[in-house]
C-alpha cells in the first residue's frame, strides 16, 4: 500500500545516499521535513558527506537522518534496517556507474546492480513497503531517432553493461507491478547531472580520472589536469561536438522529492524524464566553465569516444504537467556551482 502521510511522518530509505545525486536528494528531503535513512557501503562515496549534509540542513533536520553502512546486496543487513526503521518508500540510487569499467567488468556490473535491486525489492516486499523510485538514465534511449526524447520514445539497445543494467532494472520493476498491483514504481530517467550544492559543501567527487565531461573540466580548471580532451568535433551538430541535456543536481534532487509527493497513495508504474529540455555542446560547456572560473580552459580535439551518441535532450512536459516540477538552473549556474565546489575542495572530500 502506498504512503499518503505528511513528510514529517514519512520515512524514506535512500540507497546510495552518500553519493553525488543521493546526497543532494537527502538534503532536499530533510529540508522538506522527511525522515531519511541512508544505506550506503561507501565503496564510491566519502563518509565526510554525512557531516556536510548535517552542516547544510542544521542540527534540527539532521536529527531526522540516520545512516547505515551496508551493501544493498546484503539481505541480512537490509532486513535489520527494515526491522529497525518504519520505511514508507525507497529511493534507489546505489549501483556501479562507470560506463567504461562496466565493459571490462560485466559480471561485477550485472551482479551488483541487478542483484542489489532484486535483494532490495524482495526485502521491501517482505516488510510491506512497495513504493520505490528508481534512478534510471537517458542511456535507455540509446541513439535517438528523433529529438527531443519523450517518455514514449523507444528504448534502444544499450551500448555497455552499465546501460543494460538500467534498461533491465526498469523492466524488472515493471514486472513487479504487473505481478502485484500494490507496487508503486517511479522510473526517473536522468539526462546529464552536473553542478553542486550552491554552498560549495557537496559536489561530485569521482575516484581516479573522471569519465564524465564536467568533473574532468572542473579538474582542468583547478589545475589537476592539463587540458580537456574533446571526444570528436565531426558530429552533425552546430559546432561538431556532442550535445547533451545537462541538468543541475539540485534540480534533479527536487525532481525526486516532487515524484515522491506525487506517487503517495498511487499504485502502478510511471516514467519521467528529468532534464532541462536544452542541448549544450562540449565546446559550449568549456566556454561556460571558462567564464565561471575566470580563465580560458585549454582543450584538445581527440577522436570520437566509442559508444557516444551525437546528441540528446529531453522533452520535460510530462514531469512539468504531472509532477509540477521544472528545472530552475541554467548552464551558467551549473558551472558556477561546480566551480565553487571544486575550487573550495580541489581534491574532493578528501582534500
Ligand atoms: C558528455 C559529452 C562526450 C568526457 C554518461 C553515461 C550516462 C550517464 C551520464 C551516469 C559527450 C564528451 C566527455 C571528456 C568529452 N550515466 N566528453 N571529453 O556520455 O552523455 O553520459 O554519463 O552515471 O549513462 O553514458 O556523459 O559526461 O561522459 O559526456 O569530450 O573527457 O562530453 O563525448 O559528448 P554521457 P559524459
Amino acid at each position: 500500500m502506498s504512503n499518503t502521510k505528511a513528510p514529517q511522518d514519512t520515512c524514506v530509505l535512500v540507497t546510495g545516499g552518500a553519493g553525488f545525486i543521493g546526497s543532494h536528494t537527502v538534503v532536499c528531503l530533510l529540508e522538506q521535513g522527511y525522515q531519511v535513512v541512508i544505506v550506503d557501503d561507501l565503496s564510491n562515496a566519502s563518509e565526510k558527506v554525512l557531516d556536510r549534509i548535517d552542516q547544510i540542513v542544521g542540527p534540527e533536520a539532521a536529527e531526522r537522518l540516520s545512516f547505515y553502512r551496508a551493501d544493498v546486496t546484503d539481505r541480512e543487513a537490509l532486513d535489520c534496517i527494515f526491522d529497525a526503521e518504519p520505511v514508507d518508500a525507497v529511493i534507489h540510487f546505489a549501483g556501479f556507474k562507470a560506463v567504461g569499467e562496466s565493459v571490462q567488468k560485466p559480471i561485477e556490473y550485472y551482479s551488483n546492480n541487478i542483484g542489489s535491486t532484486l535483494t532490495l525489492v524482495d526485502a521491501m516486499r517482505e516488510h510491506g513497503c512497495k513504493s520505490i523510485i528508481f534512478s534510471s538514465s537517458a542511456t535507455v534511449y540509446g541513439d535517438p531517432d528523433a529529438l527531443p526524447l519523450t517518455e514514449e520514445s523507444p528504448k534502444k539497445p544499450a551500448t555497455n553493461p552499465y546501460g543494460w543494467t538500467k534498461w533491465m532494472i526498469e523492466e524488472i520493476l515493471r514486472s513487479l507491478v504487473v505481478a502485484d498491483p500494490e507496487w508503486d514504481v517511479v522510473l526517473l530517467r536522468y539526462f546529464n547531472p552536473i553542478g553542486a550544492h550552491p554552498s560549495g559543501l557537496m559536489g561530485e567527487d569521482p575516484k581516479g580520472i573522471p569519465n564524465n565531461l564536467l568533473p574532468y573540466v572542473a579538474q582542468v580548471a583547478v589545475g589537476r589536469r592539463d587540458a580537456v580532451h574533446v571526444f570528436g568535433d565531426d558530429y552533425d551538430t552546430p559546432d561538431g561536438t556532442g550535445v547533451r541535456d545537462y541538468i543541475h543536481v539540485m534540480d534533479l534532487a527536487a525532481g525526486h522529492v516532487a515524484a515522491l509527493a506525487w506517487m503517495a497513495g498511487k499504485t502502478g508504474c510511471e516514467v519521467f524524464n528529468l532534464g532541462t529540455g536544452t542541448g549544450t555542446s562540449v565546446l559550449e560547456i568549456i566556454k561556460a566553465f571558462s567564464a565561471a572560473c575566470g580563465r580560458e580552459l585549454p582543450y584538445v580535439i581527440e577522436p570520437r569516444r566509442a559508444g557516444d551518441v551525437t546528441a540528446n535532450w529531453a522533452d520535460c512536459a510530462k514531469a512539468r504537467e504531472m509532477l509540477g516540477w521544472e528545472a530552475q538552473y541554467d548552464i551558467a549556474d551549473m558551472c558556477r556551482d561546480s566551480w565553487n565546489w571544486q575550487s573550495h575542495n580541489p581534491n574532493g572530500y578528501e582534500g
Side-chain angles (χ1 to χ4, degrees):
M1 185 58 74
S2 201
N3 160 63
T4 48
K5 296 186 277 189
Q8 58 271 25
D9 302 318
T10 304
C11 175
V12 187
L13 186 145
V14 183
T15 75
F20 174 45
I21 306 171
S23 58
H24 289 79
T25 302
V26 166
V27 163
C28 236
L29 288 167
L30 291 169
E31 285 175 346
Q32 295 297 313
Y34 287 92
Q35 311 276 344
V36 180
V37 176
I38 294 178
V39 179
D40 199 305
D41 67 356
L42 302 179
S43 60
N44 194 25
S46 165
E47 198 160 10
K48 293 191 178 139
V49 173
L50 301 168
D51 296 332
R52 302 287 177 92
I53 292 173
D54 287 0
Q55 238 177 294
I56 292 169
V57 301
E60 206 181 313
E63 281 203 4
R64 285 185 271 105
L65 174 63
S66 38
F67 169 69
Y68 293 85
R69 183 169 187 168
D71 185 328
V72 184
T73 60
D74 181 345
R75 177 59 195 265
E76 264 178 53
L78 288 187
D79 282 335
C80 289
I81 296 165
F82 277 101
D83 283 340
E85 306 282 353
V87 179
D88 296 293
V90 173
I91 306 183
H92 180 35
F93 292 105
F96 293 164
K97 62 170 188 178
V99 170
E101 185 184 60
S102 79
V103 177
Q104 306 305 319
K105 298 182 173 176
I107 298 174
E108 285 79 358
Y109 269 70
Y110 286 117
S111 152
N112 182 71
N113 290 7
I114 295 179
S116 61
T117 305
L118 290 172
T119 305
L120 174 66
V121 292
D122 194 37
M124 288 174 68
R125 174 176 62 174
E126 199 131 304
H127 292 83
C129 173
K130 295 182 178 177
S131 294
I132 185 168
I133 295 179
F134 175 61
S135 196
S136 190
S137 168
T139 198
V140 302
Y141 295 119
D143 203 355
D145 295 327
L147 292 169
L149 288 156
T150 75
E151 291 79 356
E152 302 301 315
S153 298
K155 283 172 79 168
K156 295 278 197 73
T159 53
N160 55 73
Y162 160 79
W164 276 120
T165 67
K166 294 292 179 196
W167 205 107
M168 290 179 197
I169 292 167
E170 284 198 351
E171 299 309 312
I172 290 169
L173 296 176
R174 280 186 204 282
S175 301
L176 288 189
V177 176
V178 172
D180 175 358
E182 283 186 2
W183 276 92
D184 187 8
V185 172
V186 170
L187 308 174
L188 297 180
R189 292 179 178 158
Y190 315 150
F191 281 68
N192 288 54
I194 63 167
H197 193 271
S199 65
L201 289 168
M202 295 194 318
E204 194 169 10
D205 182 17
K207 300 224 183 346
I209 302 171
N211 301 304
N212 297 115
L213 179 63
L214 254 291
Y216 201 102
V217 170
Q219 291 191 7
V220 171
V222 84
R224 275 171 74 182
R225 317 227 168 249
D226 291 340
V228 183
H229 299 265
V230 177
F231 299 144
D233 69 348
D234 56 352
Y235 284 105
D236 183 17
T237 60
D239 66 19
T241 65
V243 168
R244 298 289 183 276
D245 185 342
Y246 297 92
I247 173 166
H248 199 297
V249 66
M250 295 298 292
D251 277 329
L252 209 51
H256 289 75
V257 179
L260 187 69
W262 173 83
M263 77 195 290
K266 296 189 178 63
T267 55
C269 179
E270 206 65 63
V271 44
F272 296 99
N273 285 338
L274 295 184
T276 63
T278 305
T280 305
S281 75
V282 177
L283 293 182
E284 285 170 335
I285 287 284
I286 295 173
K287 200 169 164 207
F289 209 100
S290 297
C293 74
R295 110 185 140 85
E296 286 303 307
L297 296 176
Y299 64 87
V300 286
I301 305 293
E302 303 274 358
R304 294 182 180 193
R305 182 172 68 178
D308 274 350
V309 302
T310 299
N312 70 12
W313 62 87
D315 181 318
C316 309
K318 186 174 174 188
R320 187 172 58 242
E321 285 157 20
M322 289 174 63
L323 304 180
W325 169 90
E326 201 169 11
Q328 304 294 320
Y329 295 83
D330 65 15
I331 288 289
D333 302 327
M334 299 180 216
C335 292
R336 176 202 63 212
D337 291 339
S338 175
W339 172 239
N340 187 35
W341 153 252
Q342 190 72 58
S343 56
H344 288 95
N345 306 267
N347 296 306
Y349 289 105
E350 305 310 322

